[in-house]
Amino acid sequence: MDKKFPIILTELRKEKGLSQKEAATKLGISQALLSHYEKGIRECGQSFLIKVADFYGVTCDYLLGRSKNRDELNILASEILSDNSGSDSAPTSKTFLKAGTLV
């Protein structure tokens, strides 16, 4: 796993105002294991990565340092704006964001 994951994991926990013990309890792991993840001593599995992404409301790509966008709605909004940036017309009224999908 990338070296960014431990840093991002720690930052998200601190942003939420949680101690390691509080976050670990909410995530269903020991404080020691969370500490190892945050220090980069241990690597987490896919299921924990998804659980953390859901818990903090971010994408897995954000957690892994692959994207600066924290959530998919921001990604979709950026894509919509960039698709329309070359034209004079604004997005049509039929362009909606619904539960993270473009309809």
Side-chain angles (χ1 to χ4, degrees), residues 66-82:
R66 294 173 42 97
S67 172
K68 292 182 181 187
N69 293 312
R70 287 185 174 215
D71 61 59
E72 296 210 19
L73 290 178
N74 283 340
I75 295 167
L76 289 171
S78 297
E79 288 174 1
I80 290 169
L81 292 174
S82 68

Side-chain angles (χ1 to χ4, degrees), residues 33-82:
L33 183 56
L34 181 58
S35 175
H36 286 181
Y37 291 156
E38 288 187 1
K39 290 179 182 176
I41 296 169
R42 299 244 343 242
E43 290 186 358
C44 71
Q46 178 182 5
S47 61
F48 182 75
L49 180 68
I50 293 167
K51 184 183 261 189
V52 170
D54 290 344
F55 179 72
Y56 289 116
V58 298
T59 64
C60 291
D61 277 350
Y62 179 79
L63 275 173
L64 296 172
R66 294 173 42 97
S67 172
K68 292 182 181 187
N69 293 312
R70 287 185 174 215
D71 61 59
E72 296 210 19
L73 290 178
N74 283 340
I75 295 167
L76 289 171
S78 297
E79 288 174 1
I80 290 169
L81 292 174
S82 68

Side-chain angles (χ1 to χ4, degrees), residues 3-59:
K3 299 233 186 243
K4 294 177 185 176
F5 175 76
I7 294 166
I8 294 168
L9 182 62
T10 304
E11 287 174 353
L12 288 170
R13 176 181 57 78
K14 289 180 178 181
E15 282 177 14
K16 218 168 185 179
L18 298 171
S19 68
Q20 275 188 345
K21 184 172 178 106
E22 292 168 324
T25 299
K26 292 177 186 262
L27 292 166
I29 61 171
S30 70
Q31 183 270 327
L33 183 56
L34 181 58
S35 175
H36 286 181
Y37 291 156
E38 288 187 1
K39 290 179 182 176
I41 296 169
R42 299 244 343 242
E43 290 186 358
C44 71
Q46 178 182 5
S47 61
F48 182 75
L49 180 68
I50 293 167
K51 184 183 261 189
V52 170
D54 290 344
F55 179 72
Y56 289 116
V58 298
T59 64

